[in-house]
Amino acid sequence: MYFILKWLTLLRILVFAEGKVGFIKEAGLSTVFPPPVHPSPSGLPTGHLRPLGYQRSPDGRVQDVEDMPHPEQFYQKFVKDRRPVVLRNALKETPAIEKWDEDDKYLMQKYGHLEIHVTEKKQQFKLVTMKMTMKKFLRDYKYDNYYLTNTLPYEMMNEIELVKCLRCGTYRKYLIEPEIWMSSGGTASLLHYHGDHNMHCLLSGRKDFILIDPAYKNIFNVQEKSTHAGSGFSDLDMDMINMFQNNGIANTPWTWAKLSPGDCIYVPAGYLHQVRSYGRSISSTILWSPTPGVATSNCDQLKPGPVMLSDANFIWSYSQGVRELTNAKLNTVTMKHHLLCLLRADKELHFERFEAFYNETMSQVSDKPDALKVFRIIDTQHRHVLSRDSIVSLTTEQLESLSKALNKPRTKHRLHDEL
């Protein structure tokens, strides 16, 4: 009888959701962070072949604030000088925190039909992505080595609030993309940086961040994702740092942050960071374009009450399994706006960055014109680069021609005709 009960208990562990068999992965919620740093007794360099963070103690925590800063204060204290900050309880009342609960029943019932993209749980330099339904992902993700990383599907945007300090002014005007991240825990990203500002908000689980000033990119052999992309990553294995080959890491300062559900962290554009998740983890990130300055004059006229992500206008959207421009029909105003978003706070927009944007925009078009030919509509001097003044001074005819080139039928489903 003892052995029968033992096997019945084991069977209950193995069988899950429509016949999935396996063991649920260890949550790791008790993991100590920042990690303790001890000299190696064997005389090896401290932290040799250990994860990032074991090579030296941190220089302190990322500053956190309990009260939501006014948008102007947020700019002056943090965005202007690109200083990370944790906004505690910034989304504590957002509906997703309560509704997207541990058993995944709500997500399964309401969003199980959605097509999403998943990738390998431990990020490698060549990522492999797969498309599947949300239902299949929710059934399997606690057992298999993949996690959800996707532009937030439009259908899910009405259950997550837009952080208050981003609801007005230049911030809201230059929103790029909402994203969703979900895993069963045990994930560790590459050390990387974004070209856009990033507000990362935790909805479930726990996430730890290591942040490093961009001045130390060379220590980690950071590579730009593509020429003039403005984003990049380190090709070092962050789970096993070779301190003989990378001894400069021992002298590289770093700070840390730990997020609980409802907390958000602002990671400035260009700032190096690594993210680790523990337990069932769901988070939402908002990317917005850096600009030379920020206007907040309309922020005091905001009506009270929540602003959901579905109420905001983003450049990129995700619907029916496809990431695409939210605008179905670009015009002279929206075309110039998109170019300025691409420019960010830089002085010049290089062709290579435009080319990447163009290829993403036209990814569903098999007979699209050559990107360089399209770029020359606005680059009449054939310099492969445009200054900010050049973009601002583009003629109506140039913007109309460029809009026409990008308005070729990209997909059959659209969220908005114009914004």
Side-chain angles (χ1 to χ4, degrees):
M1 179 63 70
Y2 168 78
F3 291 104
I4 293 174
L5 290 174
K6 185 175 181 180
W7 277 106
L8 286 173
T9 302
L10 180 60
L11 187 62
R12 290 183 64 189
I13 297 173
L14 291 173
V15 178
F16 171 76
E18 301 183 23
K20 182 67 181 179
V21 176
F23 290 96
I24 293 178
K25 296 179 180 298
E26 173 64 37
L29 290 170
S30 61
T31 300
V32 176
F33 185 81
V37 176
H38 304 294
S40 172
S42 62
L44 293 172
T46 300
H48 179 59
L49 301 185
R50 300 298 305 278
L52 182 66
Y54 282 85
Q55 294 71 39
R56 60 167 285 163
S57 297
D59 290 65
R61 295 177 59 169
V62 174
Q63 180 180 352
D64 59 16
V65 296
E66 296 290 340
D67 298 323
M68 178 63 61
H70 183 276
E72 180 64 30
Q73 182 188 35
F74 179 55
Y75 175 73
Q76 293 296 339
K77 294 186 68 173
F78 305 109
V79 179
K80 183 178 179 180
D81 295 325
R82 302 199 175 187
R83 293 176 53 217
V85 64
V86 173
L87 307 179
R88 295 293 177 196
N89 298 311
L91 289 187
K92 65 179 179 180
E93 296 179 358
T94 204
I97 290 181
E98 179 179 352
K99 291 183 177 181
W100 299 2
D101 53 10
E102 291 282 346
D103 64 11
D104 293 325
K105 286 184 180 179
Y106 178 85
L107 290 173
M108 184 81 78
Q109 292 171 0
K110 189 164 185 178
Y111 304 118
H113 65 284
L114 296 179
E115 288 188 332
I116 56 170
H117 288 83
V118 301
T119 191
E120 292 294 331
K121 177 165 285 190
K122 180 182 177 182
Q123 293 191 19
Q124 301 294 339
F125 308 131
K126 293 183 179 179
L127 299 178
V128 178
T129 60
M130 300 167 282
K131 183 182 285 189
M132 64 179 62
T133 63
M134 178 72 83
K135 180 179 180 179
K136 175 173 172 52
F137 172 77
L138 293 173
R139 192 177 62 225
D140 297 350
Y141 78 105
K142 293 181 181 179
Y143 300 84
D144 293 330
N145 282 327
Y146 48 65
Y147 65 96
L148 168 62
T149 168
N150 212 98
T151 303
L152 184 65
Y154 183 73
E155 295 87 343
M156 303 177 76
M157 290 171 63
N158 66 347
E159 296 196 308
I160 302 177
E161 292 182 46
L162 182 61
V163 177
K164 287 183 179 179
C165 59
L166 302 182
R167 293 179 183 177
C168 58
T170 306
Y171 305 114
R172 187 162 178 173
K173 182 178 179 181
Y174 288 94
L175 294 174
I176 301 295
E177 183 174 12
E179 298 173 322
I180 183 171
W181 307 79
M182 184 173 181
S183 78
S184 60
T187 64
S189 75
L190 301 173
L191 184 68
H192 64 288
Y193 69 98
H194 301 282
D196 297 307
H197 293 311
N198 182 358
M199 186 70 78
H200 192 123
C201 299
L202 189 64
L203 304 174
S204 177
R206 167 187 154 189
K207 283 199 172 183
D208 298 341
F209 285 72
I210 289 178
L211 294 103
I212 299 173
D213 191 282
Y216 296 95
K217 285 181 183 179
N218 63 315
I219 298 294
F220 295 92
N221 194 31
V222 171
Q223 306 173 19
E224 197 165 29
K225 187 176 179 181
S226 60
T227 305
H228 300 298
S231 59
F233 60 91
S234 168
D235 63 2
L236 303 184
D237 185 345
M238 292 298 137
D239 286 338
M240 193 176 290
I241 299 291
N242 188 319
M243 288 300 291
F244 287 105
Q245 297 177 359
N246 306 282
N247 56 12
I249 295 177
N251 300 313
T252 301
W254 61 281
T255 54
W256 63 278
K258 183 182 295 185
L259 297 191
S260 298
D263 295 339
C264 299
I265 183 171
Y266 161 60
V267 181
Y271 222 93
L272 294 171
H273 58 288
Q274 189 202 29
V275 189
R276 301 172 184 175
S277 67
Y278 305 92
R280 174 185 179 272
S281 172
I282 308 178
S283 59
S284 170
T285 58
I286 301 300
L287 300 176
W288 77 96
S289 181
T291 53
V294 169
T296 60
S297 57
N298 70 334
C299 291
D300 292 327
Q301 287 119 35
L302 277 177
K303 295 179 180 179
V307 175
M308 312 310 291
L309 295 185
S310 54
D311 298 323
N313 294 326
F314 293 88
I315 285 186
W316 293 102
S317 299
Y318 188 90
S319 181
Q320 300 182 36
V322 177
R323 178 180 183 266
E324 60 187 1
L325 286 184
T326 305
N327 277 350
K329 187 177 180 181
L330 296 168
N331 57 33
T332 57
V333 175
T334 53
M335 190 70 256
K336 181 181 288 188
H337 168 264
H338 284 22
L339 290 172
L340 290 173
C341 284
L342 277 179
L343 176 62
R344 302 180 178 129
D346 300 334
K347 293 181 180 179
E348 295 179 325
L349 173 61
H350 291 262
F351 163 69
E352 290 83 0
R353 190 181 297 176
F354 172 85
E355 182 182 31
F357 168 77
Y358 174 79
N359 287 336
E360 282 190 90
T361 301
M362 306 293 282
S363 63
Q364 305 297 308
V365 181
S366 59
D367 59 342
K368 61 180 179 289
D370 180 72
L372 182 57
K373 181 179 179 181
V374 174
F375 188 67
R376 284 179 175 171
I377 295 172
I378 53 179
D379 177 28
T380 56
Q381 300 299 314
H382 296 186
R383 296 178 56 244
H384 282 61
V385 67
L386 286 175
S387 67
R388 183 175 298 275
D389 287 342
S390 297
I391 294 174
V392 172
S393 302
L394 289 171
T395 66
T396 299
E397 291 74 21
Q398 287 176 304
L399 291 168
E400 286 178 345
S401 296
L402 185 59
S403 299
K404 184 178 179 180
L406 271 69
N407 281 338
K408 282 183 173 289
R410 296 185 288 272
T411 58
K412 294 181 180 180
H413 45 87
R414 287 286 148 205
L415 300 181
H416 303 282
D417 284 340
E418 295 182 7
L419 296 181

